């Protein structure tokens, strides 16, 4: 069932020049509570992903402007999308094409026509992966900040002890 998945405002970016693909994704994602961001060409993906911070990206391989493989390479190098799961979509299903997409940095490769049940399962899986990854990154940030604050507190305590000791010595004379 699609309806039992509850999103915490996650975003999926779909880049494909076929409006029918966007309609399919809209139909699939709406009951899941997932927000859809659409791009009709490869050239707009980098800018939109910087604005929208997607949790998952679907890239058509053959699009006007930059193709999906090149876009994938760019997204992997950008700080805001380097860890975002990317799934390639293509009518090309040869092994060489799939390997090329995966080598460009895609996490997965789907051959058109896409199977809706498979797409729903992959969306759920990769959004959960994205959610857990963000949770781990946040936990690591908190751990780092806590360590930094403990170190600063220790240094501050050392300074206060030094001042207190100096004050005691001066008071004894």
């Amino acid at each position: 069932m699609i309806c039992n998945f509850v999103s915490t405002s996650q975003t999926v970016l779909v880049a494909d020049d076929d409006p029918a693909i966007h309609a399919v994704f809209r139909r699939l994602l709406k009951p899941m509570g997932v927000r859809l961001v659409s791009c009709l060409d490869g050239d707009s993906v980098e800018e939109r992903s910087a604005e929208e911070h997607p949790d998952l990206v679907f890239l058509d391989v053959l699009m006007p402007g930059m193709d999906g493989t090149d876009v994938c390479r760019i997204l992997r190098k950008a700080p805001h999308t380097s860890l975002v799961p990317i799934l390639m979509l293509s009518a090309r299903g040869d092994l060489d094409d799939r390997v090329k997409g995966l080598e460009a940095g895609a996490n997965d490769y789907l051959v058109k026509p896409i199977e809706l049940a498979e797409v729903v399962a992959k969306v759920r899986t990769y959004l959960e992966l994205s959610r857990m990854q963000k949770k781990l990154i946040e936990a690591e940030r908190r751990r780092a900040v806590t360590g930094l604050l403990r170190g600063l507190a220790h240094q501050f305590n050392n300074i206060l002890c030094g001042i207190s000791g100096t004050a005691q010595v001066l008071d004894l004379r």
Side-chain angles (χ1 to χ4, degrees):
M1 283 273 142
I2 293 173
C3 296
N4 67 0
F5 180 81
V6 178
S7 169
T8 54
S9 68
Q10 289 182 296
T11 301
V12 173
L13 185 146
V14 176
D16 198 301
D17 59 330
D18 184 355
I21 292 291
H22 295 277
V24 167
F25 273 94
R26 212 173 359 268
R27 195 178 92 223
L28 290 175
L29 298 177
K30 187 174 182 178
M32 297 169 84
V34 175
R35 193 167 71 87
L36 174 67
V37 174
S38 295
C39 295
L40 295 171
D41 59 54
D43 295 335
S44 61
V45 174
E46 185 179 11
E47 182 179 333
R48 289 299 302 274
S49 66
E51 293 169 357
E52 303 290 345
H53 301 283
D55 300 289
L56 175 60
V57 174
F58 283 90
L59 294 175
D60 184 18
V61 173
L62 298 175
M63 293 184 283
M66 207 178 331
D67 73 15
T69 306
D70 290 337
V71 173
C72 186
R73 286 187 187 98
I74 289 169
L75 293 179
R76 283 293 171 237
K77 291 178 184 174
H80 61 279
T81 53
S82 63
L83 299 175
V84 173
I86 299 172
L87 284 75
M88 303 297 285
L89 297 170
S90 182
R92 295 178 169 181
D94 294 342
L95 178 61
D96 289 342
D97 294 319
R98 294 191 316 256
V99 169
K100 185 177 176 185
L102 295 170
E103 286 178 345
N107 297 86
D108 212 333
Y109 193 101
L110 298 170
V111 179
K112 295 177 185 178
I114 56 177
E115 295 291 333
L116 300 184
E118 181 183 16
V119 171
V120 168
K122 287 183 186 267
V123 166
R124 285 184 178 148
T125 298
Y126 284 108
L127 285 179
E128 180 62 15
L129 175 68
S130 183
R131 188 189 64 75
M132 289 187 309
Q133 195 171 44
K134 285 181 179 180
K135 209 172 175 180
L136 285 171
I137 289 168
E138 182 57 32
E140 181 60 27
R141 281 187 186 138
R142 285 186 180 153
R143 189 192 67 72
V145 168
T146 301
L148 176 65
L149 291 175
R150 283 185 181 145
L152 289 173
H154 179 74
Q155 293 298 324
F156 188 67
N157 190 39
N158 287 344
I159 292 169
L160 287 177
C161 286
I163 292 170
S164 176
T166 302
Q168 287 176 0
V169 168
L170 292 174
D171 197 39
L172 292 175
R173 291 185 182 181

